[in-house]
Amino acid sequence: MTQAQSSALALARSFLFVPGNRPERFAKALASGADAVIIDLEDAVPLDAKDAARTALLSAWSGFDAAERARLLVRVNPAGTPWHAADLAALGGLPGLGAVMLPKAENPQQVEHAFMASGVPVLPLIESAEGVGQLDATARAQGVLRLGLGHIDLQADLGLSCGPDEAELAPIRVALVVASRRAGLPAPVDGVTTATTDAEVLARDAQRSLRFGFGAKLCIHPAQVAGVHQALAPTEAECAWAERVLAAEVQAQGGAFSVDGKMVDPPVLLLARQILLTL
């Protein structure tokens, strides 16, 4: 995988799931406008269809071009399950694969094993109390692309009963963002919105993701992609401000300067660059 391919997934805002046992849906998912597509061998696949899903993925791979392969991730079954080793072994037959998603990641050893076995970057999903407890170590593991939050499984593991605003998960969302920042990773990926046809709920959830510092969101239906992009994209005003900041930096030639009456320091410059990188 090239650096450009890795950067594309690091900057992706939408990650759309498609069941691994439904290969007829792969092309539709790739054509949905999603930045990245996750072929799911885990939750979306019945227990008696795990092997068939893996075989279907391998059979479909030759039909993807290089650009499509770079946008694809495979969510394997978790460490400790009967299918985990076979899933990882199968990834060796997927040249050009963008990344592997590791569900229920709980320690850096699991992540590094997935990285070494697959040869592609790993997106660990934090879905348990142990995963939260090992956040910093997992974020620093070799091969991590960025962190993801599996908040539905996490609620079950913690025994939480969250309200619509999921305020109960606020400390954990902040913890993921802090761990990502400390490890030098891109902003993490927030969990799914289960209301697949409610644009208002999706917008609310995606705006919360943005406020908490997440840079992307998992999607379970193609109809969610456009809403996620709209919510997570910088506004025209933000882009115009960022362009003014970077233009003023050039004019200042290393000297102190201000924009819109406010001094610009290194954190402000970093923010301006991040805004324009997401376009």
Side-chain angles (χ1 to χ4, degrees), residues 12-258:
R13 286 175 287 181
S14 56
F15 289 76
L16 175 64
F17 283 108
V18 61
N21 62 328
R22 301 297 300 272
E24 72 277 8
R25 296 185 182 178
F26 294 172
K28 182 180 179 181
L30 283 164
S32 67
D35 295 328
V37 171
I38 306 160
I39 296 178
D40 189 14
L41 301 180
E42 192 211 11
D43 284 347
V45 178
L47 298 183
D48 61 357
K50 298 289 189 182
D51 293 340
R54 195 184 309 115
T55 300
L57 170 59
L58 290 167
S59 298
W61 198 254
S62 62
F64 303 132
D65 62 31
E68 291 171 332
R69 293 177 179 186
R71 292 169 54 211
L72 286 170
L73 301 87
V74 174
R75 179 161 74 169
V76 298
N77 287 279
T81 64
W83 313 280
H84 182 67
D87 287 349
L88 288 179
L91 301 187
L94 307 178
L97 175 66
V100 55
M101 176 174 279
L102 180 65
K104 299 173 179 64
E106 295 193 327
N107 57 62
Q109 291 78 23
Q110 292 175 348
V111 174
E112 290 173 357
H113 174 71
F115 174 59
M116 297 302 293
S118 67
V120 296
V122 181
L123 199 161
L125 278 183
I126 307 303
E127 304 185 90
S128 67
E130 184 63 21
V132 173
Q134 295 284 337
L135 257 180
D136 274 336
T138 297
R140 287 178 159 85
Q142 183 184 14
V144 173
L145 174 71
R146 59 201 295 189
L147 299 177
L149 175 62
H151 69 293
I152 296 176
D153 284 88
L154 181 59
Q155 288 178 64
D157 188 59
L158 296 177
L160 297 179
S161 181
C162 292
D165 63 355
E166 297 178 7
E168 298 82 359
L169 289 173
I172 293 172
R173 283 193 163 94
V174 171
L176 257 78
V177 172
V178 171
S180 297
R181 179 62 180 148
R182 294 185 68 200
L185 298 176
V189 184
D190 208 350
V192 302
T193 293
T194 56
T196 57
T197 59
D198 194 324
E200 184 176 337
V201 171
L202 177 69
R204 180 199 68 199
D205 287 356
Q207 288 161 6
R208 179 186 57 221
S209 301
L210 185 65
R211 291 196 308 273
F212 271 89
F214 283 74
K217 186 167 170 58
L218 301 174
C219 302
I220 55 173
H221 193 283
Q224 295 180 320
V225 171
V228 166
H229 285 183
Q230 182 177 2
L232 297 183
T235 65
E236 289 185 10
E238 289 171 333
C239 293
W241 170 83
E243 290 170 351
R244 290 198 304 274
V245 168
L246 297 186
E249 179 192 22
V250 173
Q251 291 179 347
Q253 298 182 339
F257 66 100
S258 63

